[in-house]
Amino acid sequence: EQFTAMKFPVMIHRNDTEKDEPLDYNLITTKYYEGGWFQRSDICASFRERLWRNLDVYPQKHNKKARRIGILNRNESRAIMDIGRLTKELKKHYKNAHVDVRAFDSEYDLKKEEDTMQMQARWFADKDLIIMAHGAAMSNVIFMKPGSAVLELYPQYYFNDMFWELMAQCGIYHSWYYDGNRTEKYTQDLAQQETDREWSNRMKNKKKNINYDWNQIHSIISLLLKAVDATGR
């Protein structure tokens, strides 16, 4: 199919069903691909520049005194709970920041007239930090400026690191928060072990909404913004 926004042919694959048996992670997890999502980081950069150019995207330069923070929520599943409090806390602790909350209708269907690829590209490219739930929308990090940041949120029993390599290759600072029962911060191994134990219930677990501990994610956000400020792009 010719995707006119990109000016080159792309193959669009839509998977509407998921089989209820373990998948071969050697085939689907990026860490097993030599070089990850792109063969080299410079190829990722070239692809991003081409997308920006063809979609008329012109990212603003980072301004430490006017940070742009995005919260991307989901309407259908894995919703970030108490968005109001999250927005309020961000504005309280980062007084000059502009906090922009969006919720795309679906990870598959663009139902609203303004939910165009160009709109999504501009939204992502304009942000210094984006807080979002793990999901297909994370592929949009390709539109983000190198030196910007993402905080990825997981519901309990649905940990997956498949987008980590993509963010590394795109030059995006990344951290994560797992909504589990422990009071201390989860390690990657602990989050993965919990997910593996509940593998048979993954179709139910992937629809869970996400609660957060503000103190924990605040410390993560502060570290991410310090890294973004230091890069200054």
Side-chain angles (χ1 to χ4, degrees):
E1 181 173 342
Q2 184 71 27
F3 203 166
T4 55
M6 293 187 183
K7 302 296 193 298
F8 55 81
V10 297
M11 180 178 293
I12 298 175
H13 173 69
R14 179 171 174 173
N15 180 16
D16 291 319
T17 61
E18 295 190 40
K19 296 180 180 180
D20 194 24
E21 69 256 5
L23 299 176
D24 182 355
Y25 278 103
N26 289 324
L27 300 178
I28 66 172
T29 305
T30 59
K31 64 184 178 183
Y32 291 100
Y33 296 160
E34 183 177 355
W37 291 67
F38 293 90
Q39 291 178 335
R40 300 189 311 271
S41 293
D42 61 312
I43 296 176
C44 174
S46 176
F47 183 63
R48 176 176 53 238
E49 292 286 342
R50 187 174 182 180
L51 289 173
W52 281 353
R53 184 170 61 251
N54 290 323
L55 291 168
D56 292 323
V57 174
Y58 305 99
Q60 299 181 47
K61 184 175 176 59
H62 171 67
N63 182 352
K64 182 178 179 180
K65 296 182 179 179
R67 299 182 179 109
R68 297 178 297 277
I69 300 175
I71 303 173
L72 182 60
N73 210 1
R74 295 168 58 101
N75 285 336
E76 299 177 339
S77 63
R78 266 171 278 153
I80 304 170
M81 304 303 292
D82 203 354
I83 285 287
R85 186 201 172 188
L86 180 56
T87 303
K88 181 179 178 180
E89 294 284 4
L90 288 169
K91 290 180 177 179
K92 173 183 175 182
H93 289 87
Y94 308 100
K95 297 186 183 301
N96 295 321
H98 173 68
V99 181
D100 185 7
V101 181
R102 277 300 309 260
F104 296 119
D105 277 322
S106 169
E107 60 185 276
Y108 298 115
D109 300 311
L110 300 175
K111 299 175 182 177
K112 295 181 180 178
E113 184 176 347
E114 67 269 23
D115 281 349
T116 64
M117 185 177 182
Q118 183 184 60
M119 181 280 299
Q120 292 189 42
R122 287 177 174 174
W123 193 89
F124 276 82
D126 188 48
K127 302 298 179 290
D128 298 309
L129 167 69
I130 295 178
I131 302 168
M132 60 191 301
H134 169 79
M138 297 202 70
S139 60
N140 286 285
V141 300
I142 185 64
F143 297 121
M144 297 180 71
K145 301 186 301 291
S148 51
V150 168
L151 172 55
E152 183 177 8
L153 308 181
Y154 295 96
Q156 189 173 27
Y157 309 129
Y158 199 67
F159 180 81
N160 189 320
D161 64 357
M162 68 177 296
F163 292 104
W164 292 16
E165 183 67 28
L166 174 62
M167 286 183 279
Q169 290 188 322
C170 290
I172 307 299
Y173 294 110
H174 168 259
S175 192
W176 56 277
Y177 174 83
Y178 177 81
D179 178 18
N181 293 328
R182 294 174 178 266
T183 54
E184 71 273 19
K185 187 178 186 298
Y186 272 80
T187 64
Q188 183 177 350
D189 286 343
L190 282 174
Q192 189 63 65
Q193 288 167 12
E194 278 199 358
T195 298
D196 291 344
R197 284 200 303 268
E198 290 289 325
W199 174 257
S200 61
N201 296 316
R202 71 191 181 283
M203 298 307 293
K204 177 181 68 175
N205 294 331
K206 70 182 290 187
K207 296 179 181 179
K208 286 185 175 181
N209 293 330
I210 301 170
N211 293 288
Y212 58 85
D213 180 297
W214 166 250
N215 291 326
Q216 287 191 31
I217 66 171
H218 182 208
S219 63
I220 298 171
I221 290 169
S222 295
L223 289 173
L224 288 172
L225 287 176
K226 284 182 180 178
V228 173
D229 290 343
T231 302
R233 294 184 180 180

